[in-house]
Amino acid sequence: MKSAKNKFTLAELADSVVSENRLTPEERKLADIELAEARRKNKERTTEDQQMHAKVLQLRFLKEDSV
């Protein structure tokens, strides 16, 4: 459904944002390994204060969701 504000339908907007995964199984496995390595390096760089802050925020959001 097009509106006065949007010249695109919801389906057209979704198609423009969501991309197809055209990786072979081998490429997918390599991409998964690279992503895991990047996440590990990022986690190593976080300080103890940043980790504590992230845990506090997580608890806060969990509490808000349960209410």
Side-chain angles (χ1 to χ4, degrees), residues 9 13 18-20 25 31 34 38 47 49 51 59 64:
T9 65
L13 289 173
V18 178
S19 60
E20 291 183 30
E34 290 175 2
T47 65
D49 287 343
Q51 291 175 5
L59 286 172
E64 287 177 1

Side-chain angles (χ1 to χ4, degrees), residues 55-67:
K55 288 178 183 180
V56 168
L57 287 176
Q58 183 180 21
L59 286 172
R60 175 183 165 198
F61 295 136
L62 286 171
K63 184 178 177 187
E64 287 177 1
D65 287 344
S66 67
V67 174

Side-chain angles (χ1 to χ4, degrees), residues 4-41:
K5 293 180 185 177
N6 261 335
K7 56 184 173 182
F8 300 106
T9 65
L10 291 177
E12 291 169 333
L13 289 173
D15 287 341
S16 71
V17 175
V18 178
S19 60
E20 291 183 30
N21 185 354
R22 295 186 178 144
L23 298 177
T24 65
E26 297 84 22
E27 291 172 328
R28 175 63 188 241
K29 188 173 184 178
L30 180 60
D32 289 345
I33 292 169
E34 290 175 2
L35 180 59
E37 180 69 17
R39 286 181 173 166
R40 184 188 61 76
K41 286 181 180 178

